[in-house]
Amino acid sequence: MQLHATTVALEHRALVILGPAGSGKSTLALQLMAVGAVLVADDRTDLRLLSGLLMASAPPQLQGRIEARGVGILAADPAPPTCVTLACDLGRREEDRLPHLHVQEWLGVPVPLVLGPYRTHLYASLRQMLVGQRLA
């Protein structure tokens, strides 16, 4: 299955970033990369099941490449296929200050979902969710 999405990994956990063109997917990925994440895929993400785990990878022609709007295509060390543990949709708006947990399902696997839009603290919050957990 292929998604129009950008994916990064931190500590062997992948975050799939969804949203329409220009919503900030690559910007969010670059911010996460600046604090230790590794690029899995930019713009298109391939998903597959492997032993019951939802794995994300880049199409071969896009591996190790990320677009920085207004700057150009940048090279990045690519992550290997990584287990998806979190998703963010910049195209869907979260209205609640302390929202209930949303879920996105791909290939029968439920994945916790954070809704957008892009906010300045979003990268730090998502990083913490990847390395820690959400309490409430």
Side-chain angles (χ1 to χ4, degrees):
M1 161 182 228
Q2 191 171 84
L3 303 175
H4 175 224
T6 295
T7 302
V8 295
L10 189 61
E11 295 187 8
H12 309 289
R13 297 179 184 116
L15 162 68
V16 176
I17 306 167
L18 304 160
S23 62
K25 295 182 298 296
S26 297
T27 299
L28 180 55
L30 286 164
Q31 285 181 313
L32 284 158
M33 290 165 65
V35 293
V38 181
L39 180 68
V40 175
D42 185 40
D43 194 49
R44 287 186 284 150
T45 297
D46 291 337
L47 297 179
R48 66 184 170 100
L49 284 177
L50 180 65
S51 301
L53 298 175
L54 184 64
M55 303 298 288
S57 61
Q61 66 273 25
L62 298 178
Q63 196 168 37
R65 301 164 65 94
I66 185 167
E67 178 186 349
R69 194 173 292 253
V71 176
I73 305 295
L74 306 176
D77 291 332
T82 308
C83 182
V84 176
T85 61
L86 185 60
C88 178
D89 191 339
L90 299 176
R92 294 173 55 195
R93 182 170 202 80
E94 180 57 69
E95 300 296 333
D96 296 328
R97 180 177 175 185
L98 295 174
H100 69 280
L101 185 63
H102 302 283
V103 175
Q104 171 69 54
E105 188 173 306
W106 290 298
L107 302 174
V109 178
V111 177
L113 174 69
V114 173
L115 302 181
Y118 175 82
R119 307 177 284 288
T120 56
H121 71 283
L122 188 58
Y123 83 95
S125 301
L126 293 168
R127 182 200 174 279
Q128 193 59 34
M129 287 182 76
L130 284 170
V131 301
Q133 63 180 334
R134 180 184 150 159
L135 299 176

